[in-house]
Amino acid sequence: RKILLGIKMRLSRVYLQQEIINSQTKLTISKDAEQYNYITKVLRLKNNHQVIIFNNSGYDFLCELINITNKFLELNIIEKNKNHSESNFKIHLAQAISKPSHFELTLQKSVELGVTEITPVISDYSETLKYSDKKADRFKKIIISACEQSNRSIIPNFNNPVTFNDFINNNSQSVIIMPTPRATKKFDVNLLNNIDAAIILDGCEGGFSEKEESLSRNSNSHLITLGPRILRTETAGISLISILQFLKGDL
């Protein structure tokens, strides 16, 4: 028999889109819900095992499995705790639509780093996105999974795709930071003075067109370089999110 000393297993976290009122002591999850299969088949939890449930309320609920049937499972709520993992600085990632694998990686890592809102942007060099409810559901599942993994309790807003022009025009009053290899200015930390939110407008594999960069300059967006090396689309956005979190957030 192997005994592991000094290793504390982290409890699994599961998102449940269900209101939990203060006086509530139990949760019931139907077999039809995805969480039933995830808890019983993927996590393979049994009666008396514990799990953390969160429901986009900003709280974590420590729960214990007390009854598993072929129709539902029941959880006993042990305690309710405020989750403090959300950043005070709000970052909205506007990501030009890239190849599916790159776009999904950007979604996952940006959520882990703490973005609060994500908007897919259709730019001149964007990949064609056949947007559908099925595609949107997949993106949202990636976001939820990243929240489960990274100890977040608030699900970032995921918006419908918009064109580059519409996004620029609709956010003209916001601080927009746009990394591009053609920019000559480096990131200026003074951009962040006296603000509690910013938008990162990140290009896809081909970057932004000269027309788009011109439109951005005319709208007072801040075009910056991230150094002498050309970064992949998923690297650029993630790097800039990390910089903002270091300067204004919680890193």
Side-chain angles (χ1 to χ4, degrees):
R1 182 182 177 183
K2 294 182 179 180
I3 300 176
L4 301 179
L5 299 178
I7 299 177
K8 183 178 180 180
M9 298 299 291
R10 192 182 74 163
L11 293 178
S12 297
R13 305 179 75 254
V14 177
Y15 172 67
L16 185 64
Q17 192 174 353
Q18 180 177 319
E19 184 180 5
I20 303 174
I21 59 178
N22 288 334
S23 60
Q24 193 170 341
T25 59
K26 288 184 174 59
L27 290 174
T28 301
I29 299 177
S30 168
K31 185 179 181 180
D32 297 330
E34 291 182 4
Q35 291 83 356
Y36 178 97
N37 183 69
Y38 183 63
I39 289 173
T40 60
K41 305 299 183 183
V42 179
L43 298 178
R44 297 183 179 181
L45 299 183
K46 307 295 183 183
N47 284 337
N48 301 321
H49 284 179
Q50 292 182 348
V51 65
I52 294 174
I53 299 292
F54 67 103
N55 65 340
N56 210 29
S57 65
Y59 288 90
D60 287 337
F61 299 85
L62 177 63
C63 298
E64 181 181 34
L65 269 165
I66 57 174
N67 189 20
I68 302 174
T69 74
N70 58 4
K71 293 183 178 180
F72 62 87
L73 63 81
E74 285 185 310
L75 297 147
N76 185 39
I77 300 175
I78 300 172
E79 60 185 31
K80 172 184 176 182
N81 298 302
K82 181 69 177 177
N83 185 298
H84 298 283
S85 63
E86 296 303 311
S87 175
N88 291 324
F89 190 72
K90 307 302 179 186
I91 301 175
H92 178 176
L93 175 64
Q95 176 63 52
I97 298 167
S98 52
K99 293 179 180 178
S101 60
H102 297 168
F103 188 77
E104 291 178 4
L105 178 63
T106 301
L107 280 183
Q108 182 189 64
K109 300 309 177 185
S110 65
V111 171
E112 290 178 15
L113 285 169
V115 298
T116 54
E117 187 173 358
I118 302 168
T119 300
V121 175
I122 303 168
S123 66
D124 287 344
Y125 300 147
S126 283
E127 288 284 312
T128 301
L129 177 66
K130 295 180 179 178
Y131 201 76
S132 63
D133 291 341
K134 184 177 181 180
K135 181 71 72 174
D137 286 344
R138 174 169 173 78
F139 292 154
K140 290 174 182 176
K141 286 179 181 177
I142 291 171
I143 291 171
I144 289 171
S145 178
C147 286
E148 291 174 338
Q149 190 279 328
S150 60
N151 196 42
R152 294 187 64 178
S153 64
I154 302 294
I155 308 297
N157 292 327
F158 184 76
N159 303 318
N160 289 328
V162 298
T163 64
F164 183 93
N165 287 20
D166 284 346
F167 187 85
I168 288 292
N169 293 332
N170 293 336
N171 292 278
S172 59
Q173 302 303 312
S174 302
V175 174
I176 299 178
I177 304 172
M178 182 173 162
T180 172
R182 282 194 288 262
T184 57
K185 293 183 179 179
K186 295 181 179 180
F187 180 78
D188 183 359
V189 296
N190 293 320
L191 290 177
L192 306 180
N193 289 345
N194 303 316
I195 63 171
D196 58 8
I199 296 173
I200 294 174
L201 181 53
D202 187 33
C204 57
E205 287 81 2
F208 292 110
S209 67
E210 292 186 20
K211 180 182 68 175
E212 289 169 334
E213 291 185 5
S214 177
L215 176 63
S216 298
R217 287 190 182 92
N218 293 334
S219 69
N220 295 318
S221 298
H222 304 279
L223 279 65
I224 65 165
T225 174
L226 290 177
R229 293 166 295 281
I230 305 298
L231 304 182
R232 294 170 66 99
T233 174
E234 60 270 39
T235 308
I238 292 169
S239 297
L240 191 47
I241 293 168
S242 299
I243 291 170
L244 296 188
Q245 287 286 44
F246 176 78
L247 293 172
K248 295 284 287 189
D250 46 23
L251 295 183

